[in-house]
Amino acid sequence: MSKLTVENVSFVYSAGTPFEVKALDGVSVNIESNRITGIIGHTGSGKSTLVQMFNGLIRPTEGKILLDGEDIWADAKKISAVRYRVGLVMQYPEYQLFEETVEADIAYGPKNMGLDDAEIAKRVLESAEFVGLGVENLKKSPFDLSGGQKRRAAIAGIMAMRPEVLVLDEPSAGLDPAGKKSIFEGIQKYAEATGAAVIIVSHSMDDMAKYCEDIIVMSHSKVAMMGKRNEIFSRGDELEAIGLGVPQMTYLVRLLAQKGIDLPQDIFTVDDAEAAIIELFGGAK
Amino acid sequence: MKSIAFGQYYPSNSIMHRLDPRMKIIMGILYIVTCFLCKNVITFGILMISALLLIIISKIPVKIVIRSIRAIIFIMIFTAVLNIFWTKGEDYELLLSWRFINIYSSGLYNAAFIVIRIVSMIIGTGIFLTYTTTPIQLTDGLEQLLSPLKVLKVPVHEFAMMMTIALRFIPTIIEETEKIMAAQKARGADFSNGSLVKRAKALIPVLIPLFISSFRRAGELATAMTCRCYRGGKGRTRLNVLRFSFKDFVALFLVIAFGTGIVLLNIYAPGYTM
Ligand SMILES: Nc1ncnc2c1ncn2[C@@H]1O[C@H](COP(=O)(O)OP(=O)(O)O)[C@@H](O)[C@H]1O
Ligand SMILES: [Mg+2]
């Protein structure tokens, strides 16, 4: 059984007004534990709407969301319990920081859960460590942190609730490469340590290639493709037809193949390409 | 969400939507004045028909108009009841008399007149102004109508700019509030349950980020405007210059003719007069 199942979900914003938008149209996906799933698609394809369904922030107009096989909307009063089990980091989460210290802000979620102080303190430290936020930052005001640090503090705030499903909406948007890397590494650490189902929304093919095993491709409010990373990236023409393209290294391999240099077809990241090219030149480093 | 954000503006391609906002402001005022000029059965009847015609011309769904009338239904009922009981029309037929309550036919007429007047005023302001004109068009129109006051050193442009900016950012701030509320809900915030104190406290995690980002945005906007050499209204030209066209004058003529007709009918038409 999948951890999280989306069954034939549709959603319409501002229904019944002239501003009506169909944001999701008959979407079905399965999300598994113990792995990182990527959701990719261009702006307006419905990614954010879909992930806000996962923790019950918006209720589907049609269809069902199942967590461990149970409909999360079976009892609308218990939806807040679902929000602790499915942690959602919204886009630009640094704008949700409000406490006097980073420590207190990370503790906001666990406090709402009603955990005791010792447990909260432990989780704050652990979460800060996941995202690589040094202890010296915990007593600072969140507004004194750098952009990347703020983002990490906000992500730690969700991780501190120890969700079984961790969803991140464009966690690396607007960060420099170093900031991006540290965010993704933090997410990977959380995934490994907890065995949670982790979902990352992005529109960078290269980030997806590097960090995600399963990939869901969204286009025009629908799921266009869904499958393992290599399956998806081997369908480069279809991806390009949607307007997404393939990772840069995959593209490079294709160009090399046209010049008569054959490399394996399952190259998605710089590391893959490096290994294959070394192999080509005889293996010695 | 957006329907609240853009006030009551209802997009459509009617002729009313395409009239010059300045002219619509003037016509709206004239129409309201006309509502107060009506005095007898015939003129109020015509007023009612004119309100219906306005709705049809501007292609606004009746449903939406009714919604805005419903908002003041209590005031309407209250004034109508007051009129029924308190109109003393010794010359008119006494319909009902019980202890100290006397209801005259004139009371019923007056109550109906008042209701028609209020409903027509709401429809009139709605159709001429809020439903068919975007808030930005309205402030633009207002600025230009009031520009003669600049001679008296009234900072008309500055007021209009402030209003435009405020209106421009209402949707943004609503959107932002929704986003922050969603983000805090994802962390277990509960805005709808618990005591009043508890619910007020739950808003702190929303208000603080909202204030911070509003100040940040104000600063950024000021910088962006300075970078584009904004320095007040002096010598500033516009992208969309408002120009009266033939249809604007036809519309104005119709409204004036309507008002004049009402005044004449007040004098010459028979029947009960308020
Ligand atoms: N709060 C909202 N109100 C109305 N329409 C919305 C809202 N949020 C998103 N939309 C619309 O829904 C569609 C999908 O948006 P979204 O899920 O944010 O896409 P993505 O995250 O893939 O960019 C878009 O057309 C967008 O304009
Ligand atoms: Mg999005």
Side-chain angles (χ1 to χ4, degrees):
Chain A
M1 189 177 59
S2 302
K3 184 74 191 168
L4 189 72
T5 308
V6 175
E7 263 182 22
N8 209 9
V9 158
S10 298
F11 187 75
V12 182
Y13 280 108
S14 323
T17 72
F19 304 101
E20 200 170 278
V21 185
K22 187 149 203 173
L24 291 177
D25 185 4
V27 170
S28 298
V29 296
N30 291 312
I31 308 285
E32 309 293 339
S33 285
N34 280 312
R35 79 182 54 171
I36 303 182
T37 305
I39 300 181
I40 196 157
H42 40 69
T43 311
S45 57
K47 305 180 300 289
S48 298
T49 309
L50 179 63
V51 296
Q52 288 177 61
M53 299 250 158
F54 291 163
N55 73 339
L57 277 179
I58 44 188
R59 189 173 185 160
T61 322
E62 268 171 64
K64 271 186 194 161
I65 313 281
L66 307 177
L67 181 61
D68 282 332
E70 279 173 46
D71 187 352
I72 62 167
W73 285 103
D75 183 356
K77 287 196 197 89
K78 292 195 180 138
I79 200 70
S80 60
V82 172
R83 302 211 175 116
Y84 300 130
R85 293 176 60 197
V86 181
L88 171 63
V89 181
M90 309 251 296
Q91 216 165 334
Y92 298 106
E94 53 274 28
Y95 294 135
Q96 75 198 33
L97 300 172
F98 70 97
E99 278 284 9
E100 273 173 60
T101 64
V102 174
E103 198 173 25
D105 207 282
I106 298 178
Y108 178 68
K111 231 181 223 155
N112 283 330
M113 293 171 80
L115 300 175
D116 60 61
D117 289 351
E119 177 69 18
I120 293 177
K122 188 174 135 238
R123 288 189 176 195
V124 168
L125 282 177
E126 276 175 12
S127 308
E129 195 176 327
F130 280 135
V131 296
L133 207 58
V135 189
E136 72 281 3
N137 291 317
L138 291 182
K139 298 279 178 215
K140 283 189 193 165
S141 157
F143 304 106
D144 291 339
L145 298 180
S146 74
Q149 285 172 327
K150 275 186 198 164
R151 178 82 52 97
R152 280 185 272 160
I155 294 176
I158 301 289
M159 286 178 174
M161 304 192 306
R162 284 292 167 283
E164 301 151 43
V165 182
L166 177 66
V167 192
L168 302 107
D169 195 353
E170 312 223 5
S172 63
L175 293 184
D176 56 289
K180 254 186 195 185
K181 190 157 175 269
S182 78
I183 295 255
F184 280 119
E185 282 172 1
I187 298 169
Q188 268 182 326
K189 262 192 233 160
Y190 182 86
E192 277 161 26
T194 61
V198 175
I199 301 158
I200 302 177
V201 175
S202 169
H203 46 229
S204 154
M205 277 293 171
D206 293 292
D207 295 340
M208 293 277 121
K210 201 162 173 193
Y211 300 103
C212 303
E213 294 151 72
D214 289 351
I215 290 185
I216 296 167
V217 182
M218 304 262 318
S219 173
H220 295 109
S221 321
K222 291 194 167 87
V223 173
M225 294 180 214
M226 189 161 65
K228 295 262 158 271
R229 172 175 53 184
N230 26 1
E231 269 166 53
I232 299 289
F233 289 141
S234 64
R235 294 156 75 181
D237 296 334
E238 284 170 66
L239 285 172
E240 264 159 26
I242 298 173
L244 288 172
V246 292
Q248 288 175 12
M249 285 304 137
T250 313
Y251 192 63
L252 179 72
V253 169
R254 282 206 206 157
L255 283 180
L256 286 173
Q258 281 170 15
K259 302 263 179 212
I261 303 166
D262 273 323
L263 288 174
Q265 286 302 306
D266 56 348
I267 289 174
F268 310 120
T269 65
V270 177
D271 292 342
D272 292 349
E274 183 188 7
I277 290 170
I278 288 172
E279 179 89 2
L280 191 71
F281 283 101
K285 196 157 187 176
Chain B
M1 194 288 290
K2 284 192 180 124
S3 52
I4 321 166
F6 286 99
Q8 299 190 307
Y9 181 67
Y10 188 95
S12 163
N13 64 347
S14 80
I15 176 106
M16 196 64 86
H17 286 75
R18 282 178 277 128
L19 290 179
D20 187 296
R22 291 171 294 179
M23 202 56 105
K24 281 197 268 189
I25 294 173
I26 296 172
M27 292 193 302
I29 294 171
L30 288 179
Y31 188 82
I32 290 173
V33 170
T34 311
C35 288
F36 280 99
L37 290 178
C38 291
K39 281 207 155 43
N40 57 25
V41 182
I42 295 194
T43 48
F44 271 108
I46 294 176
L47 184 65
M48 206 160 72
I49 295 169
S50 74
L52 290 179
L53 275 178
L54 283 178
I55 298 178
I56 295 168
I57 294 171
S58 56
K59 298 187 188 164
I60 305 290
V62 179
K63 199 174 66 186
I64 292 202
V65 180
I66 289 178
R67 206 184 300 157
S68 65
I69 294 174
R70 217 168 38 198
I72 57 141
I73 194 96
F74 281 109
I75 301 179
M76 250 158 56
I77 293 176
F78 186 68
T79 37
V81 168
L82 275 187
N83 269 283
I84 289 177
F85 290 117
W86 265 268
T87 306
K88 295 266 180 295
E90 312 294 302
D91 305 343
Y92 294 92
E93 193 184 343
L94 185 62
L95 296 174
L96 190 132
S97 184
W98 180 70
R99 300 209 187 160
F100 58 93
I101 296 174
N102 295 312
I103 294 181
Y104 297 90
S105 63
S106 54
L108 289 184
Y109 275 123
N110 281 0
F113 287 174
I114 292 279
V115 168
I116 295 176
R117 182 178 282 162
I118 297 178
V119 169
S120 304
M121 271 166 53
I122 291 177
I123 294 178
T125 42
I127 299 291
F128 284 115
L129 303 172
T130 51
Y131 292 133
T132 64
T133 325
T134 61
I136 301 291
Q137 281 178 322
L138 269 183
T139 39
D140 259 9
L142 214 55
E143 175 181 353
Q144 295 192 30
L145 278 181
L146 297 180
S147 57
L149 292 181
K150 279 179 193 162
V151 181
L152 302 174
K153 297 242 154 58
V154 178
V156 176
H157 169 80
E158 281 67 22
F159 280 130
M161 180 55 91
M162 267 159 62
M163 224 156 104
T164 309
I165 291 175
L167 288 169
R168 161 62 187 77
F169 280 101
I170 288 173
T172 313
I173 289 177
I174 291 179
E175 201 172 299
E176 180 129 346
T177 313
E178 282 177 355
K179 267 191 200 144
I180 297 174
M181 281 177 89
Q184 307 300 19
K185 269 192 211 163
R187 297 207 275 168
D190 185 354
F191 304 110
S192 47
N193 292 315
S195 66
L196 203 61
V197 178
K198 207 173 151 204
R199 265 186 278 173
K201 264 192 182 156
L203 283 179
I204 293 175
V206 177
L207 292 178
I208 292 177
L210 201 60
F211 270 110
I212 288 175
S213 71
S214 296
F215 283 125
R216 181 178 47 81
R217 192 172 290 120
E220 282 169 3
L221 183 68
T223 312
M225 286 170 79
T226 315
C227 287
R228 294 207 239 159
C229 307
Y230 178 79
R231 52 197 160 76
K234 217 169 213 159
R236 192 160 179 255
T237 56
R238 331 190 126 254
L239 178 61
N240 300 310
V241 181
L242 293 174
R243 279 208 183 82
F244 289 121
S245 68
F246 183 61
K247 61 177 183 296
D248 293 311
F249 291 107
V250 173
L252 181 66
F253 172 77
L254 287 176
V255 173
I256 292 176
F258 172 68
T260 319
I262 293 281
V263 170
L264 291 178
L265 280 171
N266 272 335
I267 302 171
Y268 297 111
Y272 172 77
T273 302
M274 203 171 184

